[in-house]
Amino acid sequence: MTIAGADGCKDGWVVIREDADGRISWEVLPTIGQLFDAPNPPDLLTLDIPIGLMSSGSRECDVEARRMLGQPRGRSVFTAPIRPMLAASSYSDACAIGRRIEGRALSKQAWAILPKIREVDALLRGDASLLGRVREVHPELCFYHLAGGEPIVAKKRSADGQAIRASLLRAEFGSDIDAALDACPSLGCDADDILDAFAALWTARRIRAGTADSIPKDPPRDECGLRMEMVA
């Protein structure tokens, strides 16, 4: 079974693959759809992006993830945009939609990832065979479980934060972590993108083994049939 973990980056997506023989590889793809158009696509992909979206209100998985992580790490879990915001052509338009429907604007952080949310949403709605193969994760929740149920307080872009996260992943993936980090300049991504993608891959391993946790335990589906959950 081939699995992969992915995290968004400035040039698209950092994808870390683990083939059936255990070989680890990495690449940056402009779109996540290219991963499934290429030969030997993964049987399972975990990625850091909201998938199922509410018509209004907050997703239970976002609220629960913030509660589990506490402060300050809980702030890394952005409230996902509501589905009507996917049609927005500008940040002010998205905020107007939010204020009209639920009385609140969209955060700048959520707006920054909205193009990738649209991309994944269109991919999954266009190919029902991917619904069980693409699962949402949040890296900080993955690291929470990697660290034995403790949030990592140090920021992921700080030297200490990256050292802690790399050490946890090195115990699972060995020298592949350092090789992938060394490849950052040629890939055109940042170290935290690599670490987050490996954290997603670690969760894909847990899903494959049947040991992953899902919040909520019985995830609801949105109006398009997409699960609103985070797996770790």
Side-chain angles (χ1 to χ4, degrees), residues 96-155:
I97 292 170
R99 292 190 183 100
R100 184 177 71 249
I101 293 175
E102 54 182 4
R104 64 180 179 183
L106 181 69
S107 70
K108 285 286 185 70
Q109 296 94 331
W111 170 252
I113 63 172
L114 194 136
K116 283 186 168 59
I117 296 175
R118 280 196 199 106
E119 176 191 337
V120 173
D121 184 75
L123 176 70
L124 297 183
R125 292 175 63 191
D127 187 347
S129 71
L130 297 178
L131 293 181
R133 294 168 60 189
V134 180
R135 308 286 294 276
E136 176 183 344
V137 301
H138 192 287
E140 291 305 302
L141 204 59
C142 300
F143 283 117
Y144 170 92
H145 285 280
L146 257 170
E150 293 290 336
I152 299 175
V153 176
K155 294 180 179 180

Side-chain angles (χ1 to χ4, degrees), residues 2-228:
T2 298
I3 58 176
D7 184 61
C9 65
K10 61 190 176 200
D11 290 332
W13 300 87
V14 176
V15 179
I16 313 291
R17 291 172 55 107
E18 183 174 29
D19 294 337
D21 60 3
R23 186 177 68 89
I24 304 287
S25 61
W26 42 85
E27 61 183 332
V28 170
L29 295 175
T31 69
I32 207 67
Q34 288 180 318
L35 186 62
F36 294 99
D37 291 335
N40 302 315
D43 301 293
L44 171 66
L45 170 68
T46 50
L47 76 170
D48 175 24
I49 205 72
I51 292 179
L53 302 174
M54 300 282 287
S55 298
S56 65
S58 298
R59 303 190 310 165
E60 184 180 348
C61 57
D62 294 338
V63 174
E64 179 63 12
R66 281 193 289 270
R67 185 196 66 78
M68 290 176 65
L69 293 173
Q71 294 304 325
R73 285 280 62 79
R75 290 196 292 268
S76 67
V77 182
F78 310 141
T79 297
I82 56 176
R83 180 163 291 283
M85 289 176 177
L86 294 187
S89 58
S90 66
Y91 177 62
S92 60
D93 187 19
C95 289
I97 292 170
R99 292 190 183 100
R100 184 177 71 249
I101 293 175
E102 54 182 4
R104 64 180 179 183
L106 181 69
S107 70
K108 285 286 185 70
Q109 296 94 331
W111 170 252
I113 63 172
L114 194 136
K116 283 186 168 59
I117 296 175
R118 280 196 199 106
E119 176 191 337
V120 173
D121 184 75
L123 176 70
L124 297 183
R125 292 175 63 191
D127 187 347
S129 71
L130 297 178
L131 293 181
R133 294 168 60 189
V134 180
R135 308 286 294 276
E136 176 183 344
V137 301
H138 192 287
E140 291 305 302
L141 204 59
C142 300
F143 283 117
Y144 170 92
H145 285 280
L146 257 170
E150 293 290 336
I152 299 175
V153 176
K155 294 180 179 180
K156 69 176 186 177
R157 289 187 175 89
S158 69
D160 285 347
Q162 290 186 3
I164 292 168
R165 289 165 176 80
S167 178
L168 288 169
L169 291 167
R170 201 173 286 117
E172 303 292 331
F173 296 101
S175 61
D176 284 319
I177 295 297
D178 300 293
L181 289 171
D182 288 343
C184 280
S186 61
L187 290 171
C189 65
D190 296 326
D192 61 284
D193 300 324
I194 289 286
L195 296 175
D196 284 353
F198 264 105
L201 179 62
W202 177 77
T203 296
R205 282 181 170 181
R206 281 164 59 86
I207 295 173
R208 180 178 62 188
T211 58
D213 291 328
S214 173
I215 55 171
K217 293 293 184 184
D218 185 18
R221 293 179 182 264
D222 71 4
E223 64 186 42
C224 298
L226 305 181
R227 277 194 297 257
M228 293 184 284

